[in-house]
Amino acid sequence: MKLILGLTNSVLFLAGVTSHAMAQDYIAPAMVNIPAGKFMMGAEGGDPATLPIHPVSVDAFQMGKYAITVAEFRKFAQDTGFSRESTCNDYIDNQGLRGPTHKGSGRWDNNRYTYSDYQPVTCISWQDANAYAAWLSKKTGIGYRLPTEQEWEYAAKANTTTRYFWGDDPTLTQACKYGNFADFTGEYTNNQKYGLSNRGWIEHVNCDDGEPYVAIVGLYRPNPFGLYDMLGNVSEFVDGCYSETGYKIDLLTKEDANQCEYLPHRGGNWHYPADPATTRDRWKREGWNVGTGRTFRLVIDGHEVSNHSSTSQFEGALKKAQVNRIQTREKLLLAPQNAQVVKDQSRGYTLTWTPSNDSRVVGYDIYRSKTHMSHFYGGYYDAHYEKIKTVPANKFSARVSLPSEGGSFRVVALANKQQSLPSRKAIVFVEPDAVALPSKFDMRYATRLDNVTMRYFSATDKLPEAYNIFKTNKDSDKSEVSINFKVDVESSGWYQLNYSGRTFHKGEFFKVWQGDKLLAVIDHDPDVDDKVSDRHKVFIDKGTHQLQLTVMRTKFDMWGLGWLKFSKLSDTVN
């Protein structure tokens, strides 16, 4: 059928079909004109998949203002008979989300995060997204398609050069104005529903975007090109092939995505903190299950001014859904601020905090650490702290006690129907005795941790209790981890260093420092059992020192350290 453009009232007519009937057939997505331009694509110092940084020129195109929603996809499903079994991976518990092969119980129109037809459609595959684009193109006579990675990254950056299109935001306190990420609301909801915490695992941004999971499209500020949700909410399928070794930039050779093993998706989602626009992720073209973390938006070549009646109707209904959501969702109680504990004259302690100005607050719960190490632990605070008292809303301090080895406190604000996240930890730290070397010791003897947390595992019938340092390192995370110990070295000399640890990667794992002096660079080989190997040697001076381990991962990793063992080899000083 031939598409005829009628200028009157900007209504489209399809031969022999009225505009009213056509509005029932499909929804034309709201589009934004993206100007032609040039930019540097990729990032260095991290994920090899984002290399090499290279110049890219982009022709003018149009891109969807929003990701395709459930309401839009429903038109496609009704018209084509599209259906999927209810096996979408939408499962979550106190261990977080499940991997890409897990079969859940969700569908594109009904999963555990569904509450509105104006959320982005999820639980669909890359192939489904392309089928939708082909269907909409046939309906409208307009060539809709998925964006290329080049188009997507150019549009997401929108001529900015900062880490995020809203700025560098090093403390991630501004991200919630511009997208839906793992945030305070997400942390609180996961705490209450599943006993799940992102603390010490994937972390969260330091602000509140108001949404725990998938949000209605367009709830946050757009980027400078006028595009919504480009770096948050749900990541988006794009056209092309993904390679973990980096970009293939031979422009004369176009990759056929239908032949790729892995396909890229871009933009991050509600389950993770904000990532820059250069970040890439992958989806296996065959063999992985659909999930609630991926959607798509469409593009059109060139610029054109058009406004279909279904677009206006859709945006009007979307605006009402946005307003209703903002007005009806429960506002999070903010955590108490500036908690601190000081020793008083009666050998006890006084805990103080800044009072909340939220009129809903009726009191505060005081939590005390279960062990003197609790302030080092990640995960749900309720697992490491116990409630010791409740004070009314007009109280901003409490008398508390601690054992001689020290400990920490947290304060939680209370309302009639909810509680807040806990305050930051108010710590009384008693430095442990120095570890005598030579010896074997575990992570419980750490005196300081930076950019990492500890995990405690209680003893079982088969395993003794364990204290492990653990970190999930994202592709875009390049922060250095440091772990400090106080050691008392028996005599100067060479020591054999063995360790219990794991990482996804061969090569350098951690460095060992005595003050500012680098003692050794310790590597990891998964084919070698480092619990008994004799590959690592360090020379340590006699005396009491601060021994520090530093770890710098520049790509995705889930690494951990359990214990260190220093065995004396020689007293010779060279």
Side-chain angles (χ1 to χ4, degrees):
M1 290 184 292
K2 185 178 180 181
L3 184 71
I4 303 173
L5 292 178
L7 297 179
T8 304
N9 296 325
S10 299
V11 176
L12 292 173
F13 292 90
L14 199 59
V17 183
T18 67
S19 61
H20 175 73
M22 191 171 66
Q24 296 177 337
D25 290 338
Y26 66 87
I27 299 171
M31 305 299 287
V32 174
N33 285 330
I34 308 298
K38 298 179 180 180
F39 77 109
M40 297 302 294
M41 185 174 187
E44 62 184 7
D47 183 9
T50 64
L51 290 171
I53 296 178
H54 58 285
V56 172
S57 295
V58 179
D59 293 332
F61 65 100
Q62 296 178 69
M63 176 173 264
K65 187 187 295 186
Y66 318 104
I68 296 298
T69 62
V70 173
E72 295 165 277
F73 198 83
R74 192 183 302 280
K75 301 287 188 182
F76 162 72
Q78 290 171 343
D79 193 52
T80 64
F82 173 86
S83 180
R84 272 193 177 274
E85 295 181 2
S86 297
T87 57
C88 172
N89 181 9
D90 63 347
Y91 187 77
I92 188 172
D93 64 6
N94 63 0
Q95 299 299 311
L97 299 179
R98 291 299 179 268
T101 60
H102 180 83
K103 293 193 180 300
S105 58
R107 246 174 54 130
W108 65 270
D109 57 348
N110 185 22
N111 58 71
R112 74 172 57 209
Y113 308 119
T114 301
Y115 66 85
S116 170
D117 263 13
Y118 297 94
Q119 292 171 281
V121 64
T122 61
C123 296
I124 47 92
S125 68
W126 181 86
Q127 292 88 337
D128 297 337
N130 278 281
Y132 178 91
W135 168 82
L136 188 61
S137 297
K138 185 176 180 181
K139 282 284 183 182
T140 63
I142 298 172
Y144 291 98
R145 59 177 174 81
L146 294 184
T148 64
E149 281 202 84
Q150 290 85 353
E151 290 169 330
W152 190 96
E153 187 171 320
Y154 173 69
K157 288 180 174 178
N159 290 330
T160 63
T161 57
T162 49
R163 182 169 174 80
Y164 312 103
F165 65 77
W166 60 86
D168 288 322
D169 197 7
T171 58
L172 286 176
T173 56
Q174 302 301 307
C176 297
K177 298 176 183 177
Y178 300 91
N180 175 23
F181 306 103
D183 70 320
F184 292 160
T185 289
E187 176 74 2
Y188 174 78
T189 305
N190 285 333
N191 282 185
Q192 301 303 311
K193 281 191 173 183
Y194 308 113
L196 168 66
S197 173
N198 286 334
R199 300 299 296 170
W201 177 37
I202 57 175
E203 303 303 330
H204 58 67
V205 294
N206 297 308
C207 54
D208 183 32
D209 61 46
E211 292 289 337
Y213 307 123
V214 183
I216 289 173
V217 300
L219 276 184
Y220 308 96
R221 296 177 183 177
N223 78 356
F225 279 166
L227 301 169
Y228 291 85
D229 307 312
M230 288 297 283
L231 295 186
N233 206 19
V234 184
S235 67
E236 301 171 2
F237 285 122
V238 292
D239 191 28
C241 297
Y242 175 95
S243 171
E244 63 182 11
T245 61
Y247 291 111
K248 294 180 174 61
I249 57 175
D250 181 359
L251 300 181
L252 299 178
T253 303
K254 179 171 174 54
E255 297 174 304
D256 182 0
N258 289 294
Q259 304 301 317
C260 301
E261 180 180 8
Y262 291 101
L263 303 160
H265 56 98
R266 305 291 294 266
N269 67 38
W270 54 267
H271 185 59
Y272 295 94
D275 277 328
T278 53
T279 304
R280 305 175 78 197
D281 209 339
R282 64 179 186 168
W283 189 75
K284 198 168 187 179
R285 188 171 58 85
E286 301 291 344
W288 282 5
N289 191 22
V290 296
T292 56
R294 290 170 295 278
T295 187
F296 65 101
R297 74 177 73 208
L298 298 177
V299 299
I300 305 170
D301 292 327
H303 284 179
E304 186 174 326
V305 178
S306 62
N307 183 26
H308 192 274
S309 60
S310 65
T311 308
S312 299
Q313 293 167 9
F314 169 82
E315 291 206 285
L318 170 61
K319 182 64 176 179
K320 292 179 181 178
Q322 292 169 339
V323 171
N324 181 67
R325 178 63 178 174
I326 292 172
Q327 290 177 343
T328 58
R329 67 189 181 191
E330 190 170 31
K331 182 182 177 182
L332 188 71
L333 272 182
L334 296 180
Q337 301 296 306
N338 305 316
Q340 55 183 322
V341 60
V342 294
K343 195 171 185 63
D344 58 36
Q345 295 179 348
S346 61
R347 294 188 174 182
Y349 294 89
T350 299
L351 175 67
T352 61
W353 59 93
T354 301
S356 173
N357 59 7
D358 193 319
S359 61
R360 295 174 296 167
V361 173
V362 298
Y364 300 94
D365 280 343
I366 311 301
Y367 284 78
R368 181 172 59 199
S369 56
K370 293 180 180 179
T371 78
H372 69 287
M373 301 290 290
S374 293
H375 64 283
F376 280 151
Y377 299 158
Y380 184 28
Y381 74 93
D382 193 61
H384 313 303
Y385 288 80
E386 56 188 355
K387 187 170 69 174
I388 58 171
K389 63 174 64 178
T390 301
V391 300
N394 61 352
K395 291 282 190 180
F396 321 127
S397 65
R399 290 289 307 282
V400 290
S401 62
L402 280 173
S404 59
E405 62 266 27
S408 55
F409 298 92
R410 310 192 80 168
V411 185
V412 173
L414 304 175
N416 288 325
K417 294 184 178 180
Q418 67 166 301
Q419 61 189 49
S420 73
L421 288 171
S423 68
R424 294 186 180 274
K425 301 153 190 170
I427 304 168
V428 176
F429 182 65
V430 178
E431 188 173 278
D433 293 336
V435 177
L437 296 189
S439 68
K440 173 183 175 182
F441 58 94
D442 62 28
M443 298 296 113
R444 84 181 78 181
Y445 294 98
T447 59
R448 177 170 175 168
L449 303 178
D450 290 312
N451 296 321
V452 74
T453 60
M454 188 180 298
R455 285 187 171 184
Y456 170 72
F457 300 91
S458 57
T460 66
D461 293 339
K462 297 182 179 180
L463 296 171
E465 70 173 0
Y467 297 81
N468 289 338
I469 299 296
F470 172 83
K471 186 174 178 68
T472 298
N473 195 88
K474 300 188 303 173
D475 289 331
S476 59
D477 185 3
K478 304 174 182 65
S479 58
E480 183 180 73
V481 165
S482 62
I483 310 161
N484 284 40
F485 303 92
K486 186 178 181 180
V487 296
D488 186 9
V489 184
E490 177 183 77
S491 59
S492 299
W494 287 97
Y495 289 78
Q496 178 179 298
L497 169 60
N498 293 329
Y499 69 90
S500 170
R502 65 182 179 88
T503 168
F504 284 169
H505 306 289
K506 282 188 175 183
E508 180 182 322
F509 188 6
F510 59 91
K511 294 178 179 177
V512 184
W513 304 79
Q514 181 179 310
D516 293 328
K517 178 183 178 182
L518 178 62
L519 301 184
V521 178
I522 307 300
D523 70 335
H524 178 78
D525 186 338
D527 298 325
V528 175
D529 183 2
D530 281 299
K531 295 178 182 179
V532 296
S533 74
D534 59 359
R535 298 183 297 119
H536 312 297
K537 297 177 178 63
V538 296
F539 188 92
I540 312 178
D541 294 324
K542 178 181 178 179
T544 302
H545 309 287
Q546 285 293 326
L547 196 69
Q548 184 181 75
L549 310 185
T550 59
V551 184
M552 171 67 86
R553 315 309 279 163
T554 57
K555 50 189 173 181
F556 180 79
D557 199 3
M558 295 178 68
W559 62 267
L561 283 169
W563 50 256
L564 306 171
K565 183 178 180 180
F566 290 86
S567 303
K568 190 67 181 299
L569 292 177
S570 168
D571 289 329
T572 304
V573 178
N574 295 322

